[in-house]
Amino acid sequence: MAGRDHGDPSTGSTVSVDLDAIAHNVRILRDHAGDAGVMVVVKADGYNHGAVEVARTALSAGARELGVTTVQEALVLRSNGITAPILAWLHHDGTDFAPAIASNVELGLSSVEQVHAVVAAATDANATATVTLKIDTGLNRNGIDPVILDDVIDVLGRAVAADSVRLRGVFSHLACADVPDHPANDRQADVLRAVVARLDAAGLHPEVTHLANSAATLTRPDLHFDLVRPGIAAYGLSPIPELGDFGLRPAMTVSTKVALVKNVPAGAGVSYGHTWNAPADTVVALIPMGYADGVRRNLSGRFEVGIGGRRFPAVGRVCMDQFVVDLGPDGAGVAVGDTAVLFGPGENGEPLAQDWADTLDTIHYEVVTGIGGRVRREYRRTDTGEASA
């Protein structure tokens, strides 16, 4: 996301990413992984935390590999000097695989057609493409159906023999990992094992097998195989909130500066449609973020903001650029320029991303990836007190 870290500094709105929290979380995941390696997923610009900075931090903390969705995401990491193994696994019909092959990006392949396309690109470049087969073991999204595995084996076997392809791995994705004892998890693992056995019998020997996402990394050590592939947990958000936080530290804090403080008389309506009317004389603060920045309109009147260690309710409708919070009749000592925290790690009583998710009947993934617009990103290290834009 070009320019995302710079945002619009005139708004005072910031996504602050605690890199020490990222490192802490990766170390927890590494400990849970046991003998398996750790691939940290940094797709979607590191779940909106900044893929390059997160990747560097994760690798320094013991991650062995990185995972992304697209070839372009992988190439951004390569262009920033990251040399660790990178797997990219979602490709559209016209994807140009040549740059990925030239940059030693491992390609996750989900169809016979993709295998053909990568073999052709590798042959044209007189190079060897590193590939991993994505197997549909029951999620029924992208992935090779085991029913057609023989067709893949035929194409892949010839490509491996010709040295145009190196088969590095086989992987799949769990549908119900957030319910650790769900029978689908074991069924999917059994399908994956059967596919690996068929490949071995055909003389194709994948170097690594992986299945576990964040939830399975933390709760199902029997599904770790050779490599675990956590995403959301690296950012400090529990993959199974009802089971606790697993010792993870949320890395993202979203904040801005109070833009205006004003008196509102009893009975006066606030914001569009006057959906909220002051029940008594009160003081409100204007917060300069809105749905253009990821503060969802359907949060209107349903969330709180932390200012000075206290929480204040948002009142009236969330607008495109701003919303209003009720400070109470005495204004609570809040002044223009004070920091208003929309969500963070909760260390100072501020709301959590999970609070928004609960209110919106969604998941915290959507909350953290949805913050954008003019919001500036900065990086800090809580353990050292350092900060950088």
Side-chain angles (χ1 to χ4, degrees):
M1 196 181 301
R4 173 68 181 82
D5 288 356
H6 300 291
D8 182 349
S10 67
T11 67
S13 302
T14 303
V15 165
S16 179
V17 178
D18 181 356
L19 296 178
D20 285 334
I22 298 285
H24 166 85
N25 301 329
V26 171
R27 287 191 290 268
I28 286 178
L29 293 162
R30 187 187 62 197
D31 289 345
H32 278 272
D35 293 333
V38 176
M39 173 190 290
V40 170
V41 179
V42 294
K43 64 181 181 177
D45 199 20
Y47 290 47
N48 201 25
H49 291 68
V52 173
E53 293 292 342
V54 169
R56 289 173 177 155
T57 301
L59 292 168
S60 295
R64 192 173 79 191
E65 309 188 18
L66 302 168
V68 297
T69 301
T70 69
V71 166
Q72 182 57 34
E73 288 178 329
L75 296 177
V76 168
L77 297 175
R78 286 282 186 256
S79 69
N80 280 275
I82 293 173
T83 59
I86 303 172
L87 173 64
W89 57 67
L90 185 61
H91 318 294
H92 64 79
D93 182 55
T95 297
D96 180 4
F97 292 110
I101 295 169
S103 297
N104 193 28
V105 172
E106 185 178 341
L107 296 164
L109 305 182
S110 295
S111 68
V112 175
E113 292 76 15
Q114 288 182 1
V115 176
H116 278 296
V118 169
V119 170
T123 301
D124 288 346
N126 192 28
T128 300
T130 301
V131 305
T132 280
L133 298 181
K134 173 73 180 292
I135 307 299
D136 184 358
T137 58
L139 182 60
N140 288 309
R141 296 193 312 190
N142 69 323
I144 297 165
D145 189 332
V147 171
I148 64 164
L149 185 63
D150 287 344
D151 295 336
V152 174
I153 287 173
D154 180 58
V155 177
L156 195 61
R158 287 185 274 113
V160 169
D163 203 30
S164 56
V165 163
R166 166 195 170 205
L167 177 60
R168 174 145 194 268
V170 178
F171 79 115
S172 190
H173 194 52
L174 292 166
C176 302
D178 55 344
V179 183
D181 59 354
H182 196 292
N185 298 324
D186 295 312
R187 288 197 299 268
Q188 287 191 254
D190 288 342
V191 172
L192 188 61
R193 292 186 185 100
V195 165
V196 172
R198 289 171 65 184
L199 290 167
D200 281 334
L204 295 170
H205 307 294
E207 301 165 23
V208 293
T209 301
H210 47 106
L211 178 64
N213 56 5
S214 289
T217 299
L218 293 167
T219 65
R220 291 293 304 266
D222 57 316
L223 302 184
H224 286 176
F225 290 93
D226 304 301
L227 195 65
V228 297
R229 206 175 57 245
I232 197 68
Y235 305 95
L237 300 175
S238 173
I240 315 176
E242 57 269 29
L243 294 186
D245 62 16
F246 297 94
L248 303 169
R249 288 165 46 188
M252 179 183 287
T253 298
V254 177
S255 65
T256 190
K257 302 295 184 181
V258 172
L260 182 70
V261 175
K262 64 183 299 181
N263 297 315
V264 174
V270 170
S271 197
Y272 289 127
H274 284 181
T275 58
W276 182 82
N277 294 274
D281 290 349
T282 193
V283 181
V284 301
L286 187 67
I287 310 300
M289 289 182 66
Y291 55 77
D293 307 298
V295 184
R296 295 263 296 272
R297 189 172 183 269
N298 54 346
L299 279 169
S300 295
R302 304 169 65 197
F303 71 114
E304 296 176 321
V305 170
I307 306 174
R310 291 180 56 185
R311 289 195 187 192
F312 299 95
V315 294
R317 285 187 180 154
V318 172
C319 308
M320 185 181 294
D321 316 295
Q322 56 198 288
F323 64 90
V324 174
V325 298
D326 183 14
L327 303 175
D330 63 357
V334 173
V336 170
D338 285 352
T339 297
V341 181
L342 280 68
F343 63 79
E347 295 168 350
N348 296 305
E350 75 274 9
L352 308 172
Q354 185 64 48
D355 294 331
W356 283 28
D358 292 342
T359 299
L360 295 167
D361 193 24
T362 186
I363 55 177
H364 44 39
Y365 297 69
E366 184 177 3
V367 173
V368 296
T369 59
I371 300 297
R374 295 150 292 198
V375 184
R376 177 176 175 268
R377 187 190 291 132
E378 68 177 22
Y379 303 96
R380 61 192 172 94
R381 292 189 175 275
T382 51
D383 297 345
T384 63
E386 296 177 3
S388 64

